[in-house]
């Protein structure tokens, strides 16, 4: 007899060992999450089992071995079962809530006080208005229930891999929890909007593209968080549940692309790390191809979020490389992405059920917290770059002032030398004029002796003729010197339009100057490299004698295809060079009497050439505005 009792108790112990844990509910239990062996599941590979079939297959349910159960096979339907024991009657003041807002279909079978089951449906595939509460999670009301044991079934179908987190809550606790959660969401998305508005204003103020790219990046982060939290479904597309299949994938794509483009602009990757710049371009191309394939051919691939590790890791590696090479704004960039990677790791561990020991707000909202910290640090990086750029601009401004001072000194010295030469030459002319007058008096006095002094007069006339020739040569030389000084002034300081027009008064003069400047080293045909030519049809153009190709003086110069009169184009180029590109299009419009938009367009082209010439110009290269022509 004792032997049989021992076997009986051993069987009872074995049954209790494998039995599903039952949650005991009394008035002190406000919330409880079902984990481990509190949940049992059944995989329905066909997806055709009815609730009656499931009730008859109660012994086929498998005990959950992970912290949170999940749908390991996304093509299958999963049934989950939890059991609760109520110590007192329940009068509709409690709910069962399921998390993971991307779950496609959730069907709950809830027992009532008569012992039968009521069916309730929810999920991301149904309109948001079909939910019991207008809340981002899935809630099912526990109706009037008598004390005792009760079993609850949940049918879950989703194309995503989801953690099926089942939570018991009282209505009062749910309201408290939901209000705090939505307040947190309000603060989070409010900060995103503030960051966007601030950087948009900065873009409008300074026209730096990095601010615009940063705005797009922050908006992409906000869209991803709203899609992941179910907020987007609640407020943006509540009547279009089909968009839930695309929200995460589209927002993650824009996060990756905007992050890479923003990194290139902020870190100046093209100039500081060309090899990383090429790698970023390739990743952008490949990520775009993958996104388009997912969007048009297989949207189920959107669930593989780990692909975002590749572009974010590349951006992080680029920041580390550039920071090691001495670019200080990259320090905040590297720190921001380090924080973001920590958030991704915590979120991944939480999704796999390995972060259950962490407090729920930290594990669930870790990525959101890290996004906020990242946005703050990236703002510091942008500010650091602006500070460095302002410092470089101030240094360049001081250098410009110093150069202008040297130019002014050079101008004064040239003017003084010119005045000295003019005074000396004028003194010579006055002296020679006095000599001529004296000789004329002598001729008048000797008029009576004209016959005797005829030979002497002829000699004096010859001397006068020689002196006149010398004076003419001196006048020509003086005029040439004045033109050279005027040209030197045009190359060194700012002249008004009347002074500049004296040097280049008409189109003929400008074309003649361009022709001489363009072919100063000899004519070479741009098509056949022939060096002989004849005059072309256009003024100062040259026609190749071998291939008959005619090349104008404007071809391959900065004035090619210009709609501005050539002499005004000369003066506009001169003004931009003399002001080092700081003159505004409004000032150019006032000086040249040309529309401001035309001046702005043409000035952009000249400033670009000016910057390129500055980079490639050597120390002893020719100075002056004419270096911008070719």
């Amino acid at each position: 007899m004792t032997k049989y009792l021992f076997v009986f108790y051993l069987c009872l112990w074995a049954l209790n060992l494998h039995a599903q844990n039952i949650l005991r509910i009394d008035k002190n239990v406000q919330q409880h999450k079902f984990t481990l062996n509190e949940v049992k599941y059944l995989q329905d590979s066909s997806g055709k089992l009815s609730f009656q079939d499931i009730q008859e297959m109660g012994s086929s349910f498998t005990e959950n071995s992970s912290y949170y159960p999940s749908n390991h096979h996304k093509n299958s339907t999963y049934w989950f079962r939890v059991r609760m024991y109520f110590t007192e009657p329940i009068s509709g003041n409690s709910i069962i809530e399921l998390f993971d807002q991307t779950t496609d279909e959730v069907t709950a079978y809830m027992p009532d006080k008569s012992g039968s089951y009521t069916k309730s449906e929810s999920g991301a595939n149904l309109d948001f208005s079909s939910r019991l509460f207008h809340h981002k999670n899935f809630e099912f009301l526990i109706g009037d229930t008598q004390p005792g044991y009760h079993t609850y079934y949940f049918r879950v179908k989703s194309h995503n891999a989801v953690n099926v987190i089942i939570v018991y809550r009282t209505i009062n606790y749910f309201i408290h929890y939901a209000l705090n959660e939505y307040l947190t969401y309000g603060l989070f998305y409010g900060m995103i909007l503030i960051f966007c508005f601030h950087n948009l204003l900065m873009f409008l103020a300074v026209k730096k593209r990095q601010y615009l790219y940063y705005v797009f990046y922050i908006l992409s982060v906000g869209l991803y968080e709203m899609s992941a939290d179910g907020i987007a479904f609640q407020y943006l597309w509540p009547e279009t549940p089909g968009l839930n299949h695309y929200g995460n994938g589209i927002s993650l794509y824009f996060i990756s692309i905007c992050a890479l483009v923003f990194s290139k602009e902020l870190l100046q990757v093209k100039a500081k790390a060309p090899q990383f710049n090429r790698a970023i371009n390739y990743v952008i191309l490949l990520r775009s191809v993958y996104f388009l394939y997912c969007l048009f051919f297989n949207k189920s691939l959107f669930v593989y979020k780990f692909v975002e590790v590749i572009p974010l890791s590349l951006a992080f590696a680029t920041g580390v490389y550039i920071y090691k090479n001495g670019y200080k704004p990259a320090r905040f960039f590297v720190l921001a992405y380090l924080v973001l990677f920590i958030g991704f790791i915590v979120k991944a561990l939480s999704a796999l059920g390995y972060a259950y020991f962490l407090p729920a707000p930290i594990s669930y909202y870790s990525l959101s917290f890290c996004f906020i910290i990242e946005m703050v640090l990236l703002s510091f990086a942008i500010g650091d770059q602006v500070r460095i750029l302002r410092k470089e601009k101030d240094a360049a401004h001081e250098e410009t002032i110093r150069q202008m001072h040297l130019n002014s000194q050079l101008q004064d010295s040239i003017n003084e030398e010119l005045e000295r030469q003019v005074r000396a030459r004028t003194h010579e002319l006055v002296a020679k004029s006095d000599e001529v007058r004296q000789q004329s008096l002598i001729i008048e006095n000797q008029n009576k002796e004209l016959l005797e002094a005829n030979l002497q007069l002829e000699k004096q006339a010859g001397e006068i003729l020689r002196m006149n020739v010398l004076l003419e040569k001196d006048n020509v030389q003086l005029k040439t010197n004045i033109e050279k000084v005027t040209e030197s002034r045009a190359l060194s300081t700012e002249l008004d339009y009347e002074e500049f027009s004296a040097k280049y008064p008409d189109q003929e003069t400008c074309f003649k100057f361009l022709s001489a400047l363009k072919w100063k080293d000899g004519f070479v045909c741009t098509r056949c490299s022939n060096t002989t030519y004849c005059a072309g049809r256009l003024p100062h153009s040259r026609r190749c004698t071998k291939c008959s190709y005619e090349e104008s003086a404007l071809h391959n110069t900065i004035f090619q295809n210009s709609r501005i009169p050539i002499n005004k184009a000369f003066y506009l180029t001169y003004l931009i060079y003399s002001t080092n590109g700081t003159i505004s299009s409004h000032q150019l419009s006032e000086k040249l009497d040309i529309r401001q938009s035309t001046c702005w367009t043409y000035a952009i082209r000249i400033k670009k050439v000016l910057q390129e010439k500055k980079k490639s110009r050597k120390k002893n290269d020719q100075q002056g505005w004419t270096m911008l022509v070719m």
Side-chain angles (χ1 to χ4, degrees):
M1 185 66 178
T2 305
K3 178 180 179 180
Y4 291 113
L5 287 175
F6 174 77
V7 173
F8 175 74
Y9 285 120
L10 183 62
C11 292
L12 288 179
W13 177 81
L15 289 174
N16 290 330
L17 182 65
H18 295 282
Q20 180 178 3
N21 287 357
I22 300 174
L23 174 63
R24 181 183 177 86
I25 302 295
D26 56 30
K27 62 180 180 180
N28 296 321
V29 178
Q30 299 292 315
Q31 173 186 251
H32 180 79
K33 291 183 179 180
F34 293 88
T35 60
L36 295 174
N37 57 353
E38 294 178 334
V39 181
K40 284 194 173 186
Y41 71 93
L42 174 65
Q43 179 183 349
D44 178 11
S45 301
S46 64
K48 298 179 179 180
L49 294 178
S50 64
F51 179 59
Q52 289 74 18
D53 297 333
I54 293 300
Q55 286 181 306
E56 295 173 359
M57 299 171 62
S59 60
S60 300
F61 274 80
T62 304
E63 186 174 325
N64 173 49
S65 58
S66 57
Y67 193 76
Y68 292 124
S70 61
N71 57 334
H72 300 288
H73 300 86
K74 296 185 287 294
N75 294 325
S76 299
T77 300
Y78 281 80
W79 291 81
F80 297 94
R81 185 182 71 187
V82 297
R83 302 190 67 191
M84 292 186 286
Y85 175 77
F86 295 98
T87 60
E88 55 188 25
I90 297 296
S91 301
N93 60 353
S94 300
I95 61 171
I96 291 182
E97 183 176 22
L98 273 74
F99 289 88
D100 206 321
Q101 300 79 9
T102 61
T103 306
D104 294 338
E105 301 174 8
V106 179
T107 305
Y109 293 89
M110 314 286 285
D112 56 20
K113 60 182 178 180
S114 65
S116 60
Y117 280 85
T118 58
K119 176 182 176 182
S120 300
E121 294 182 335
S122 187
N125 282 349
L126 301 178
D127 288 353
F128 193 83
S129 58
S130 65
R131 299 190 179 184
L132 175 64
F133 299 110
H134 282 193
H135 186 262
K136 63 187 187 65
N137 297 334
F138 311 121
E139 291 84 23
F140 302 96
L141 183 66
I142 299 176
D144 296 341
T145 305
Q146 297 298 323
Y149 293 95
H150 298 278
T151 304
Y152 297 84
Y153 295 89
F154 301 93
R155 181 181 183 272
V156 175
K157 173 68 176 177
S158 181
H159 72 285
N160 293 321
V162 296
N163 286 332
V164 182
I165 304 176
I166 304 173
V167 183
Y168 165 82
R169 286 195 173 107
T170 62
I171 294 293
N172 290 335
Y173 189 88
F174 168 71
I175 294 173
H176 167 75
Y177 149 79
L179 289 176
N180 290 336
E181 186 178 35
Y182 275 80
L183 175 61
T184 304
Y185 283 134
L187 294 175
F188 175 72
Y189 295 115
M191 293 181 67
I192 287 181
L193 292 178
I194 291 173
F195 274 109
C196 288
F197 185 68
H198 169 73
N199 286 278
L200 183 60
L201 291 180
M202 292 297 294
F203 168 73
L204 296 176
V206 302
K207 298 298 186 294
K208 291 282 187 182
R209 289 180 296 179
Q210 62 192 26
Y211 289 105
L212 188 61
Y213 296 148
Y214 189 45
V215 169
F216 291 149
Y217 173 71
I218 296 174
L219 289 177
S220 301
V221 170
L223 179 60
Y224 169 72
E225 287 293 323
M226 292 183 72
S227 300
D229 293 332
I231 299 297
F233 186 35
Q234 181 175 357
Y235 293 106
L236 300 183
W237 54 79
E239 297 179 357
T240 313
L243 293 179
N244 291 324
H245 297 286
Y246 299 93
N248 284 346
I250 293 176
S251 56
L252 281 175
Y253 167 73
F254 282 110
I255 286 177
S256 297
I257 299 302
C258 293
L260 291 176
V261 175
F262 170 70
S263 302
K264 289 178 58 177
E265 189 71 19
L266 176 67
L267 302 178
Q268 302 174 11
V269 178
K270 187 175 183 180
K272 298 183 181 298
Q275 66 277 23
F276 279 96
N277 184 65
R278 290 191 295 271
I280 288 175
N281 291 336
Y282 289 141
V283 170
I284 290 176
L285 176 62
L286 294 175
R287 182 65 181 87
S288 299
V289 171
Y290 179 76
F291 169 72
L292 293 175
Y293 180 80
C294 295
L295 185 63
F296 294 108
F297 300 103
N298 190 356
K299 66 178 181 295
S300 64
L301 295 179
F302 277 137
V303 301
Y304 297 112
K305 302 175 184 178
F306 63 86
V307 297
E308 312 306 329
V309 174
I310 298 175
L312 295 182
S313 299
L314 180 58
F316 179 70
T318 304
V320 172
Y321 175 81
I322 293 178
Y323 175 64
K324 289 177 63 178
N325 287 344
Y327 189 58
K328 290 186 177 179
R331 55 186 173 176
F332 291 111
F333 181 89
V334 172
L335 187 59
Y337 272 85
L338 180 61
V339 171
L340 187 60
F341 270 114
I342 293 174
F344 272 117
I345 293 172
V346 174
K347 189 69 174 179
L349 292 176
S350 177
L352 295 174
Y354 297 130
Y356 58 86
F357 57 89
L358 294 175
I362 294 178
S363 62
Y364 190 77
Y365 299 109
S366 58
L367 193 56
S368 302
F369 294 149
C370 291
F371 271 131
I372 291 294
I373 298 174
E374 182 213 22
M375 286 188 286
V376 173
L377 292 174
L378 289 179
S379 298
F380 287 161
I382 294 176
D384 208 15
Q385 185 200 46
V386 170
R387 181 184 61 81
I388 292 176
L389 291 176
R390 185 183 295 114
K391 186 177 180 180
E392 293 176 353
K393 183 178 179 181
D394 293 341
H397 182 65
E398 292 177 359
E399 178 63 22
T400 301
I401 294 176
R402 187 184 68 82
Q403 188 63 41
M404 292 177 63
H405 181 67
L406 292 176
N407 292 342
S408 178
Q409 291 178 344
L410 178 61
Q411 175 191 355
D412 294 339
S413 64
I414 292 175
N415 290 338
E416 290 176 0
E417 179 64 21
L418 179 62
E419 290 175 359
R420 186 187 65 78
Q421 292 181 3
V422 170
R423 285 196 299 268
R425 204 62 188 159
T426 302
H427 181 70
E428 282 185 40
L429 291 175
V430 171
K432 290 182 179 181
S433 297
D434 292 341
E435 184 179 351
V436 171
R437 283 197 299 271
Q438 290 176 3
Q439 290 179 356
S440 297
L441 291 174
I442 294 173
I443 292 173
E444 289 178 0
N445 292 332
Q446 294 178 349
N447 192 31
K448 296 178 181 181
E449 302 175 359
L450 182 60
L451 296 175
E452 293 83 5
N454 188 38
L455 182 59
Q456 183 67 27
L457 288 174
E458 289 179 355
K459 293 182 178 178
Q460 291 178 351
E463 180 66 16
I464 292 172
L465 180 60
R466 186 182 67 81
M467 293 178 64
N468 286 336
V469 171
L470 292 175
L471 288 173
E472 184 66 23
K473 290 181 178 180
D474 290 338
N475 286 333
V476 172
Q477 183 66 30
L478 178 61
K479 183 178 179 181
T480 302
N481 290 339
I482 291 174
E483 290 180 353
K484 290 183 177 179
V485 170
T486 302
E487 184 173 356
S488 298
R489 290 184 64 205
L491 294 175
S492 62
T493 188
E494 181 176 350
L495 303 176
D496 59 27
Y497 186 66
E498 288 72 23
E499 291 177 308
F500 196 89
S501 297
K503 177 64 180 175
Y504 308 101
D506 53 19
Q507 181 176 348
E508 174 68 21
T509 305
C510 295
F511 276 108
K512 182 178 180 181
F513 170 78
L514 281 178
S515 176
L517 179 63
K518 181 175 182 179
W519 292 298
K520 63 181 179 179
D521 297 328
F523 172 83
V524 177
C525 180
T526 57
R527 287 192 176 180
C528 66
S529 302
N530 183 37
T531 57
T532 58
Y533 69 94
C534 60
R537 292 175 298 174
L538 299 176
H540 297 281
S541 64
R542 298 186 180 185
R543 182 190 299 273
C544 177
T545 58
K546 184 177 180 181
C547 66
S548 299
Y549 173 68
E550 182 177 343
E551 184 173 345
S552 69
L554 295 177
H555 183 65
N556 283 340
T557 70
I558 199 171
F559 306 113
Q560 184 175 359
N561 300 325
S562 173
R563 295 178 295 176
I564 304 176
I566 188 64
N567 54 344
K568 290 190 177 184
F570 268 38
Y571 188 53
L572 190 147
T573 306
Y574 162 74
L575 288 176
I576 292 178
Y577 172 80
S578 62
T579 60
N580 199 23
T582 58
I583 189 170
S584 68
S585 58
H586 295 284
Q587 293 174 312
L588 292 173
S589 177
E590 292 177 359
K591 288 179 179 289
L592 297 174
D593 194 23
I594 299 176
R595 290 189 306 174
Q596 182 268 337
S597 60
T598 304
C599 291
W600 180 85
T601 303
Y602 198 71
I604 290 297
R605 184 196 306 178
I606 299 174
K607 289 178 182 180
K608 182 179 180 181
V609 175
L610 178 61
Q611 293 300 322
E612 294 174 352
K613 293 291 184 180
K614 283 183 177 180
K615 293 179 180 179
S616 61
R617 187 174 64 197
K618 297 181 180 178
K619 184 174 183 182
N620 297 325
D621 283 351
Q622 176 189 3
Q623 303 293 318
W625 66 275
T626 56
M627 74 172 184
L628 303 176
V629 174
M630 303 303 296

